[in-house]
């Protein structure tokens, strides 16, 4: 996803004629986040528009697919030199959602130097 991209329900653009296509893409991307935590934020953000997706939301989903295509072998890497230590970090953005004014929370869990969740 592009940095500082603001997506909302009131996006300009046409409503998608085929809602099933967008929902299938997002469903498959959600499954893929198990082994690809690097796309978790983008997929979570796109899944908020499953009810009424617009053409711009589909373009962002296609950009995520293009990222996956260009980086096919991304996944957890556990180097032998890394110390086996569990570290967790969290962050919150208060009232960040432009539609509902709800807070956004995120977290990262590392095993050694490798992102696992």
């Amino acid at each position: 996803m592009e940095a500082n991209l603001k997506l909302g329900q009131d996006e300009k653009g046409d409503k998608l004629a085929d809602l099933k296509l967008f929902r299938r893409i997002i469903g498959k991307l959600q499954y893929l986040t198990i082994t690809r935590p690097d796309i978790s934020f983008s997929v979570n953000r796109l899944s908020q528009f499953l009810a009424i997706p617009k053409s711009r939301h589909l373009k962002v989903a296609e950009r995520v697919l293009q990222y996956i295509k260009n980086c096919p072998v991304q996944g957890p890497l556990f180097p032998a030199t890394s110390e086996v230590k569990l570290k967790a970090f969290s962050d919150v953005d208060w009232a960040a959602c432009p539609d509902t004014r709800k807070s956004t929370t995120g977290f990262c869990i590392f095993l050694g130097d490798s992102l696992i969740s």
Side-chain angles (χ1 to χ4, degrees), residues 5-7 11-12 54-61:
L5 179 66
K6 302 290 183 190
L7 290 176
E11 287 292 324
K12 294 179 182 176
K54 304 277 178 73
S55 58
R56 183 158 186 231
H57 300 134
L58 182 60
K59 288 184 191 221
V60 174

Side-chain angles (χ1 to χ4, degrees), residues 84-91 106-117:
V84 180
K85 185 176 181 181
L86 194 62
K87 297 179 277 188
F89 303 94
S90 65
D91 191 19
F107 67 92
C108 296
I109 299 175
F110 291 86
L111 182 61
D113 295 329
S114 300
L115 180 66
I116 58 172
S117 182

Side-chain angles (χ1 to χ4, degrees), residues 16-27 53 58 61-62:
L16 294 179
D18 186 11
L19 298 178
K20 290 181 182 180
L21 172 66
F22 183 76
R23 291 174 180 165
R24 275 195 313 259
I25 291 171
I26 299 304
L58 182 60
E62 289 170 349

Side-chain angles (χ1 to χ4, degrees), residues 58-116:
L58 182 60
K59 288 184 191 221
V60 174
E62 289 170 349
R63 185 175 170 98
V64 173
L65 291 172
Q66 187 67 34
Y67 169 78
I68 291 167
K69 181 181 175 186
N70 291 334
C71 303
V73 292
Q74 296 288 329
L77 174 66
F78 300 104
T81 58
S82 179
E83 180 183 359
V84 180
K85 185 176 181 181
L86 194 62
K87 297 179 277 188
F89 303 94
S90 65
D91 191 19
V92 66
D93 193 359
W94 186 74
C97 180
D99 298 319
T100 63
R101 303 308 298 166
K102 290 184 180 179
S103 299
T104 304
T105 304
F107 67 92
C108 296
I109 299 175
F110 291 86
L111 182 61
D113 295 329
S114 300
L115 180 66
I116 58 172

Side-chain angles (χ1 to χ4, degrees), residues 2-44:
E2 295 176 28
N4 301 319
L5 179 66
K6 302 290 183 190
L7 290 176
Q9 292 290 351
D10 57 348
E11 287 292 324
K12 294 179 182 176
D14 301 329
K15 293 181 183 178
L16 294 179
D18 186 11
L19 298 178
K20 290 181 182 180
L21 172 66
F22 183 76
R23 291 174 180 165
R24 275 195 313 259
I25 291 171
I26 299 304
K28 291 176 182 183
L29 286 173
Q30 284 178 333
Y31 184 74
L32 191 58
T33 61
I34 296 169
T35 57
R36 296 288 303 261
D38 55 330
I39 63 169
S40 293
F41 176 79
S42 299
V43 174
N44 180 26

